[in-house]
Amino acid sequence: MSRRAHLASLLVALLAGFAGLNMLAAHLLADTRVDITQGGLYRLSDGTRDIIAETDEPVRWTFYYSRRTAADYPEIRSYGARVRGLLESYVLAADGRIALTEIDPALFSRAEDDALAAGITPVPAGEGDRIFFGLVAENAVDDRRVIAQFSAQREALLEYDLSRLLAELSRTAARRVGVLTSLPIRPDLRGARPSHVIDEIAAAYEIAWIDSSFSALPDADALVVIHPPRLAADQIYQLDQFVLRGGRLILALDPLALAAFRAGPDGLPPPNARRSTGLPELLSAWGVTVPEDEVAMDRALGLPVQINEDGRSAIRSYPLWFSAGPVQLSAEDLSTADLQRGVNFGSPGHIRLSPVDGLAVRILAQTSEDGALIATETAAGNPSPAALLADYEPAERAPVLGVRLSGLFPSAFPDGAPAQQPDDHLPISARSGDVVVMADVDWLDDPYFLREDPAFGLSIVADNPGFLLNLIDLAVGDPALLELRSLPISARPMTRVESLRAAAAAAYSDEQAALEARAEVIDAELDALLSGRPPTDGADTPLETRITQLQAEMSEARNRLRAIERSFRQDIDRLESALRFWTLWMPPLIILLTGLGISIWRRRRTLS
């Protein structure tokens, strides 16, 4: 066989072997994945694996994704691959209990109709197209949960959303939430006023209402206590032991609960309304104090209110009523991480924290750095915005409005149970518990987040209901959800490039700022001269000459500014060209030169 034929046969054999190896690997390693991404983008958390392990019946996942249309949108295409990869990780971990189907709905097709009917929300694209990007999950009895649209803004919560959806389909019965309150919001009682948050809870869970005279707590997955009535020692003890047995408790307390005095349907405030609640008998053992003599305010975040000033109507920012936005809410806690509209508070209290062994504390909400404290009695007098700002003095640190406590809780009754209580007293938590304490009640009152618009009707203008539902969902959901990590985002910014851009910009910023300032001075002087006002500089210079000088200076300054911007763009272009060379051209050149070097070396060796 000639050398050329031998080489051709060798190449054919190598190609065939490579193809055969790929086919063998695809068959034997189809269910094997290795995640080497930074942060483990496709590696499931232990909490998710626990949820999958507890899923007994098969689940169908239908992934509606307009792949062909999304191909023209790099961000959507990239995130679509991200979502698909994580969905496949679930399928592999479920070992046949999750069946995944991906559908690319064509325009005016049956698949498009099915997606719309299931609740998938399409995103408008160019030329009349729409991008479907959502998930429909169903179990064996056709219970359905839907993620209407995957949003890259929720990428850090992607695994949580999928695991929550899976956990909800695995539930055999509705979750039960116990509610204890002194506010007139219980629908079955006379004189009750409408409450949006109660309607939302009732729509998602079974509510077990707790009477103020309760002698035993109901069997519930979680307890929500909103501005409670006066509680006896044995009732506080039952709350204490509920938490120590692993129960989840959500407390909304307040030193100045304006909602307690809001008029009901009869136009009168509720009888025996309580102005303040703090539960120090319970919370002091857990390192939490809600002082009854102070409330928080924030002039930087104040909500607009209409007031009367000297007989005129005016809109002013009111520091006692303010909105805590994403910056003031925890970015780590799942209950607050995705709240973009903020949570509105009304004359809230604040929380003082003391360390307690075994308890972890996470701040859920706080004021801005400009937050301040004011005496409760002063705030109760309905002071004007001007009066609040007159003696405003920011606190040393931002007042804390809400916290989450988790871990092993010590009992608030170290000496044992009160009389006539069972003997099974727990001095410390039997298992990890979870307690949320909010130092405000008014954030749950309708006027703080609902607005009546003559044209559009009732609308929600803040994330107050969503915040409460998130808290309850975490409390009554699968315990694994509480431990679920937030995923790292898949975007990997070119930090080196950005730092070089920043350095290049800084090199010109000082000179540019000086020229812009000089241009403003010249422009102002020209305006003065052209309007007939006497010059402030160069009084001995004829007017026309001075105007000509200033116009020349202005032209020179603008030319220099354009030159600076041009130089800046040239530096950035050179930087990008250098990066393009080193990343796109240099690697193949190195390979080519290495190959040529090896070829020359082998030829010289053969000749020698």
Side-chain angles (χ1 to χ4, degrees):
M1 181 181 294
S2 67
R3 186 173 180 179
R4 181 173 295 178
H6 177 76
L7 181 60
S9 300
L10 181 61
L11 289 174
V12 171
L14 286 174
L15 289 173
F18 182 72
L21 184 63
N22 272 339
M23 293 175 64
L24 184 64
H27 177 71
L28 297 178
L29 304 178
D31 295 337
T32 302
R33 302 183 66 172
V34 178
D35 184 1
I36 59 174
T37 59
Q38 182 180 357
L41 295 177
Y42 303 98
R43 190 164 51 247
L44 300 180
S45 303
D46 291 339
T48 290
R49 295 188 178 277
D50 291 341
I51 292 173
I52 292 174
E54 294 171 1
T55 303
D56 298 326
E57 59 182 27
V59 175
R60 301 185 303 276
W61 279 4
T62 304
F63 179 37
Y64 288 98
Y65 177 51
S66 304
R67 184 188 291 204
R68 286 168 294 183
T69 307
D72 297 331
Y73 301 88
E75 291 185 2
I76 298 178
R77 184 180 67 238
S78 174
Y79 192 49
R82 168 85 171 89
V83 172
R84 184 188 301 108
L86 193 60
L87 291 174
E88 291 172 350
S89 296
Y90 275 80
V91 172
L92 292 176
D95 194 22
R97 282 167 291 176
I98 298 178
L100 176 63
T101 303
E102 182 174 341
I103 297 177
D104 183 354
L107 203 61
F108 306 116
S109 66
R110 175 65 182 272
E112 183 184 56
D113 294 339
D114 292 342
L116 292 171
I120 303 298
T121 304
V123 178
E127 299 180 359
D129 284 335
R130 295 189 292 184
I131 297 177
F132 289 85
F133 190 16
L135 182 71
V136 177
E138 297 172 301
N139 59 16
V141 294
D142 291 332
D143 289 335
R144 176 181 290 178
R145 296 292 185 274
V146 177
I147 297 178
Q149 183 185 117
F150 286 108
S151 170
Q153 294 178 347
R154 285 186 63 87
E155 182 176 4
L157 302 177
L158 177 58
E159 184 180 356
Y160 169 75
D161 288 339
L162 294 174
S163 297
R164 172 185 171 185
L165 178 142
L166 189 60
E168 288 179 348
L169 284 178
S170 302
R171 293 174 184 169
T172 57
R175 297 289 187 173
R176 201 164 189 236
V177 177
V179 178
L180 172 64
T181 182
S182 64
L183 299 180
I185 55 177
R186 181 171 172 174
D188 59 343
L189 294 183
R190 184 178 179 182
R193 64 180 183 233
S195 171
H196 181 83
V197 294
I198 294 300
D199 293 341
E200 291 287 334
I201 298 173
Y205 310 101
E206 177 188 347
I207 294 183
W209 288 100
I210 304 173
D211 292 330
S212 60
S213 59
F214 72 92
S215 57
L217 291 173
D219 182 17
D221 298 287
L223 295 182
V224 178
V225 178
I226 304 171
H227 200 56
R230 289 180 175 82
L231 300 178
D234 60 319
Q235 294 174 318
I236 296 175
Y237 176 77
Q238 290 186 51
L239 294 176
D240 172 89
Q241 295 294 293
F242 174 82
V243 172
L244 267 59
R245 286 181 168 81
R248 281 76 180 270
L249 176 64
I250 300 171
L251 290 170
L253 309 173
D254 202 327
L256 182 58
L258 304 177
F261 296 93
R262 187 161 68 86
D266 57 1
L268 299 174
N272 303 319
R274 300 189 67 191
R275 190 177 83 166
S276 64
T277 47
L279 282 183
E281 305 90 344
L282 181 67
L283 296 181
S284 58
W286 302 338
V288 172
T289 303
V290 181
E292 295 191 2
D293 59 344
E294 290 178 320
V295 298
M297 60 178 176
D298 197 319
R299 63 186 174 188
L301 305 176
L303 293 171
V305 296
Q306 188 171 6
I307 63 172
N308 187 287
E309 287 185 348
D310 300 326
R312 295 181 179 180
S313 179
I315 301 295
R316 294 288 181 265
S317 175
Y318 196 55
L320 281 172
W321 302 344
F322 58 89
S323 177
V327 175
Q328 290 78 42
L329 302 176
S330 170
E332 300 175 353
D333 198 88
L334 292 173
S335 65
T336 52
D338 196 45
L339 302 181
Q340 298 300 316
R341 291 182 294 182
V343 177
N344 293 344
F345 293 94
S347 305
H350 70 105
I351 295 174
R352 292 177 181 157
L353 298 168
S354 302
V356 175
D357 291 341
L359 286 183
V361 179
R362 173 178 289 170
I363 295 176
L364 299 181
Q366 59 187 357
T367 69
S368 72
E369 295 299 323
D370 201 32
L373 300 175
I374 185 175
T376 303
E377 291 300 328
T378 302
N382 195 26
S384 67
L388 292 172
L389 295 175
D391 299 320
Y392 194 97
E393 184 176 346
E396 293 183 0
R397 61 185 62 183
V400 175
L401 309 176
V403 297
R404 180 188 296 278
L405 310 174
S406 56
L408 301 179
F409 289 78
S411 175
F413 295 81
D415 298 329
Q420 300 179 348
Q421 290 297 315
D423 297 331
D424 55 347
H425 171 75
L426 292 178
I428 194 169
S429 291
R431 56 192 178 96
S432 181
D434 190 83
V435 174
V436 170
V437 181
M438 299 298 299
D440 189 35
V441 168
D442 301 305
W443 71 282
L444 298 173
D445 198 22
D446 288 0
Y448 286 86
F449 57 86
L450 289 181
R451 292 292 181 272
E452 182 73 40
D453 188 281
F456 302 101
L458 205 62
S459 61
I460 299 175
V461 296
D463 283 319
N464 298 38
F467 181 25
L468 179 63
L469 289 176
N470 286 349
L471 291 174
I472 296 175
D473 183 68
L474 287 171
V476 305
D478 194 295
L481 289 175
L482 284 172
E483 304 170 4
L484 199 60
R485 62 182 171 90
S486 291
L487 286 174
I489 61 174
S490 57
R492 292 291 177 265
M494 300 177 70
T495 54
R496 176 62 177 163
V497 175
E498 294 304 321
S499 64
L500 290 174
R501 282 180 180 272
Y508 298 104
S509 60
D510 292 342
E511 186 178 0
Q512 185 175 8
L515 284 170
E516 288 176 348
R518 178 57 182 159
E520 290 180 2
V521 171
I522 294 173
D523 195 41
E525 189 172 350
L526 278 172
D527 287 342
L529 292 174
L530 293 173
S531 63
R533 293 195 296 271
T536 58
D537 189 20
D540 297 334
T541 306
L543 182 60
E544 293 183 0
T545 304
R546 182 57 181 162
I547 291 175
T548 303
Q549 290 175 349
L550 290 175
Q551 288 174 339
E553 286 186 41
M554 174 65 80
S555 177
E556 183 182 352
R558 287 175 176 170
N559 288 335
R560 181 56 187 154
L561 277 173
R562 283 192 290 269
I564 287 176
E565 292 174 357
R566 187 163 51 249
S567 298
F568 172 69
R569 286 196 299 268
Q570 289 173 351
D571 284 355
I572 293 299
D573 290 342
R574 281 194 293 269
L575 170 62
E576 292 181 348
S577 298
L579 287 171
R580 191 178 296 112
F581 172 77
W582 287 105
T583 57
L584 297 179
W585 293 104
M586 199 60 189
L589 283 175
I590 291 174
I591 295 173
L592 179 61
L593 292 174
T594 302
L596 288 174
I598 293 174
S599 177
I600 293 171
W601 174 77
R602 291 185 62 184
R603 179 170 294 182
R604 287 182 177 178
R605 185 179 178 186
T606 301
L607 292 175
S608 63

